[in-house]
């Protein structure tokens, strides 16, 4: 994917998301780029193969993964190349999630960008600190709306089974995850990034079978902090880069570092994981 340098953000130090169809494969909206330059990796250091399981020592587990650099998890929208280069204040372009965003903001749902639409969408982006705030109805803006809708009651649709024990719920459609025990949410919901085409996150019931706080991918030699494996090489883990990208992971459930750290303290070995849905474009 082509990157356009607009504003440089801090580089992360070593140790996305949507419910409806992905952006079109052709046409003026097809060539979307991060509206602000991201120096960190676009890909993720995932573990495709099941890891070598062992019991970490107390000394190893006492080491906390390094924090991410400030700005790593900023909400950077994907916008048309021309808008990014020109640094427009308010776009005339129709976003790939135009109808969904219009509906969420209670605008006229016609799938067409107007000056009024741009003004309202831009105001939402400014409020939510989405950059660049140019009123483009892109994947990051829509993902943020889905997260806000799910924040108070993520299991309102009853898609994640309610059990007497802890269940880590992974909603691939909305790209959010949480943990519930019975009907009580004990963690989250938080945004996440799941597998891309060809490396989809597997759906169904699983168990957390290994936890490794300072895991390093044996395939890519990159850190996977707070890794909690539940299906072969697929795990919850943090990434030192944006999770709000149009490209999915290599199958893992990618989280921001702070969220992965909190989840580490909630889930135990043997806890159940339930995965359903399908990531748009993945």
């Amino acid at each position: 994917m082509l990157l356009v340098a607009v504003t440089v953000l801090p580089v992360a130090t070593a140790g996305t998301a949507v419910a409806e169809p992905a952006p079109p494969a052709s046409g003026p909206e097809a060539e979307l780029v991060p509206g602000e330059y991201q120096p960190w990796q676009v890909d993720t250091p995932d573990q495709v193969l099941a890891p070598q399981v062992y019991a970490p020592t107390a000394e190893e587990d006492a080491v906390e993964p390094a924090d991410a650099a400030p700005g790593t998890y900023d909400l950077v929208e994907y916008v048309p190349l021309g808008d990014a280069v020109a640094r427009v204040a308010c776009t005339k372009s129709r976003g790939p999630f135009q109808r969904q965003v219009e509906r969420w903001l209670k605008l006229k749902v016609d799938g067409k960008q107007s000056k009024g639409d741009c003004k309202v969408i831009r105001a939402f982006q400014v409020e939510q600190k989405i950059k660049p705030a140019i009123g483009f109805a892109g994947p990051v803006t829509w993902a943020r709306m889905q997260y806000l809708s799910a924040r108070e009651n993520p299991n309102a649709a009853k898609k994640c089974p309610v059990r007497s024990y802890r269940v880590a719920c992974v909603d691939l459609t909305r790209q959010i995850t949480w943990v519930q025990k019975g009907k009580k949410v004990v963690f989250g919901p938080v945004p996440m990034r799941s597998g891309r085409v060809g490396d989809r996150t597997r759906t169904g019931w699983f168990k957390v079978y290994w936890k490794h706080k300072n895991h390093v991918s044996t395939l890519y030699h990159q850190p996977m902090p707070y890794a909690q494996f539940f299906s072969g090489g697929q795990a919850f883990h943090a990434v030192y880069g944006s999770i709000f990208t149009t490209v999915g992971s290599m199958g893992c459930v990618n989280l921001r570092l702070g969220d992965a750290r909190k989840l580490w303290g909630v889930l135990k070995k043997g806890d159940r994981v339930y995965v359903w849905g399908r990531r748009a474009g993945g």
Side-chain angles (χ1 to χ4, degrees):
M1 176 175 285
L2 178 62
L3 301 182
V4 176
V6 178
T7 300
V8 177
L9 299 177
V11 179
T13 56
T16 29
V18 288
E20 301 192 38
S26 61
E29 291 84 24
E31 193 175 31
L32 301 182
V33 300
E36 299 200 359
Y37 177 67
Q38 295 172 286
W40 48 70
Q41 60 193 27
V42 173
D43 213 332
T44 60
D46 289 333
Q47 180 80 49
V48 177
L49 302 176
Q52 186 82 26
V53 175
Y54 70 96
T57 64
E59 290 77 13
E60 181 182 353
D61 270 350
V63 177
E64 292 296 329
D67 289 332
T72 297
Y73 305 117
D74 284 356
L75 298 172
V76 178
E77 184 58 275
Y78 284 74
V79 302
L81 175 61
D83 286 351
V85 173
R87 303 185 187 184
V88 300
C90 210
T91 184
K92 297 179 180 178
S93 300
R94 171 190 179 277
F97 299 95
Q98 189 75 34
R99 288 182 178 274
Q100 296 94 313
V101 168
E102 288 170 347
R103 186 175 294 108
W104 200 89
L105 291 172
K106 296 180 171 56
L107 300 170
K108 179 182 178 181
V109 183
D110 58 8
K112 300 176 182 178
Q113 178 77 322
S114 66
K115 289 183 179 179
D117 288 344
C118 186
K119 183 179 179 180
V120 176
I121 297 169
R122 186 177 184 278
F124 172 82
Q125 291 170 334
V126 169
E127 178 187 10
Q128 296 297 316
K129 299 181 180 179
I130 298 171
K131 303 180 290 185
I134 62 172
F136 185 72
V140 176
T141 298
W142 176 231
R144 184 64 179 172
M145 290 176 173
Q146 292 191 99
Y147 163 72
L148 292 174
S149 296
R151 191 164 51 180
E152 289 191 10
N153 185 10
N155 204 31
K158 298 180 172 58
K159 294 291 183 70
C160 191
V162 173
R163 298 290 187 267
S164 60
Y165 45 81
R166 282 187 299 271
V167 177
C169 306
V170 181
D171 185 341
L172 303 181
T173 302
R174 293 184 294 171
Q175 291 289 281
I176 59 173
T177 188
W178 69 93
V179 179
Q180 60 189 34
K181 184 175 182 181
K183 294 182 179 181
K184 183 180 180 181
V185 175
V186 296
F187 167 82
V190 297
M192 58 169 235
R193 176 176 55 183
S194 63
R196 68 187 73 184
V197 174
D199 293 291
R200 292 190 177 97
T201 305
R202 288 181 282 274
T203 57
W205 280 103
F206 307 95
K207 284 185 179 180
V208 175
Y209 71 87
W210 191 48
K211 291 163 62 83
H212 193 199
K213 184 182 292 184
N214 291 286
H215 190 73
V216 175
S217 170
T218 55
L219 295 176
Y220 308 110
H221 310 292
Q222 294 292 319
M224 294 170 60
Y226 301 105
Q228 302 190 72
F229 289 88
F230 58 84
S231 175
Q234 296 187 351
F236 296 103
H237 72 85
V239 290
Y240 288 106
S242 176
I243 64 169
F244 303 104
T245 67
T246 57
V247 179
S249 74
M250 297 290 287
C252 287
V253 176
N254 296 160
L255 301 168
R256 297 172 298 192
L257 190 77
D259 294 334
R261 182 183 291 131
K262 290 178 182 176
L263 182 61
W264 176 269
V266 172
L267 288 183
K268 309 300 179 186
K269 182 179 176 182
D271 278 348
R272 301 299 296 272
V273 179
Y274 184 72
V275 185
W276 76 96
R278 183 160 178 168
R279 179 182 184 273

